[in-house]
Amino acid sequence: MNRRLRKALVVTTAITAGLLMTACQNEDVDDNASAASASPAASAKGAEAVASGTGKGVSGSFKNGKVTHLAPGKYIVSVPGRTDQAFFVSEDTEIWGAGGICGDAKGQSATECTEVELEAAAKKGAVSADVEMKDGAAVSVTEQPAGEQPGSAGQPGSAEGVVEGKGVNGTWFGNVSYLAPGKYTVSDIKGVEQAFFVSEDTEIWGAGDICGDAEGQSATECTEAELERAARKGVGAEVTLSNGIATRIVEDA
């Protein structure tokens, strides 16, 4: 009797141990399978972030670029001489149109657009625009004027007859006002306005209002941020344009 009990006990113990071992092995297999299945997706996502440049906190200005649509909420801006940069738009992104995204190409000021309008325009073809980024997301997308009407460009001291347009050249004397990020107007004494953009190469010289000292004997080189702050109030200056972009802005002394 005792021998039978001992034998039954040994068999029961062996069966129990076998079941526990099988369960542990199954758990290990499931965990490893889950890790294996998740790993390629995670790697792909990481590769996409590296390839696109997003997810890495990309910040900066991309002037005179071509914006195209990649996926819902995701775009790419191409600037000559620079690597293409992918970016996202959010509810806080300011989108300004000049006839292509939205608005009127002959208007005197930019029009605020929706992301739906940006997507529709970018799907049709590249949109010429300046893109300001912070941490991989667009702070602003500002369309460049699509029209071209030089008007009286090349006649210093007057902007009469000139409307907003790409390719405008000449020198204007008047009041500079802020329109949108990177975009301004200069108006003459008759109130006729000429829209223009600034770029990283624009020379900005102040004499007390934009920057510098009004009592100084020479002009002071200013930043675009200082110009924007002064132009929101209005500042008198001489503006030299080439293809619709200011090459030089000199504040009236």
Side-chain angles (χ1 to χ4, degrees):
M1 179 67 71
N2 290 336
R3 289 179 62 188
R4 291 178 181 176
L5 289 174
R6 286 197 299 270
K7 186 176 181 180
L9 180 60
V10 170
V11 172
T12 302
T13 302
I15 293 174
T16 302
L19 291 174
L20 291 174
M21 183 176 295
T22 302
C24 291
Q25 289 175 344
N26 288 338
E27 288 179 0
D28 291 341
V29 170
D30 290 342
D31 290 343
N32 292 334
S34 297
S37 63
S39 180
S43 299
K45 184 177 181 180
E48 180 184 2
V50 172
S52 67
T54 58
K56 293 295 181 180
V58 176
S59 301
S61 300
F62 294 80
K63 302 287 187 180
N64 306 317
K66 298 292 185 181
V67 176
T68 51
H69 181 262
L70 284 179
K74 187 176 182 181
Y75 300 80
I76 189 167
V77 58
S78 303
V79 176
R82 299 179 66 174
T83 302
D84 290 355
Q85 178 60 55
F87 65 92
F88 293 91
V89 297
S90 69
E91 294 179 354
D92 297 326
T93 302
E94 293 185 0
I95 304 171
W96 299 91
I101 302 175
C102 74
D104 182 4
K106 296 183 179 181
Q108 294 299 309
S109 61
T111 303
E112 191 164 8
C113 311
T114 65
E115 199 273 323
V116 172
E117 291 172 318
L118 172 62
E119 179 177 322
K123 280 184 175 180
K124 294 178 182 178
V127 176
S128 298
D130 296 337
V131 181
E132 293 288 336
M133 289 184 209
K134 183 176 182 181
D135 298 331
V139 176
S140 65
V141 178
T142 306
E143 181 187 359
Q144 296 175 357
E148 181 172 347
Q149 185 174 345
S152 62
Q155 299 179 9
S158 174
E160 183 176 1
V162 178
V163 297
E164 181 179 10
K166 187 177 180 181
V168 177
N169 300 285
T171 302
W172 282 261
F173 302 88
N175 186 65
V176 175
S177 300
Y178 174 82
L179 279 181
K183 188 175 183 181
Y184 300 80
T185 62
V186 56
S187 58
D188 63 10
I189 57 175
K190 296 181 180 180
V192 179
E193 296 181 324
Q194 172 60 51
F196 66 91
F197 291 92
V198 297
S199 70
E200 295 177 354
D201 298 325
T202 302
E203 294 183 7
I204 305 171
W205 298 92
D209 288 334
I210 301 177
C211 74
D213 182 5
E215 302 293 332
Q217 297 300 311
S218 60
T220 303
E221 191 164 9
C222 312
T223 65
E224 201 270 322
E226 291 172 320
L227 171 64
E228 178 178 320
R229 184 169 54 249
R232 285 179 181 274
K233 301 176 181 178
V235 60
E238 174 187 327
V239 181
T240 302
L241 304 182
S242 176
N243 294 324
I245 300 173
T247 58
R248 186 179 175 89
I249 299 173
V250 182
E251 180 187 345
D252 293 340

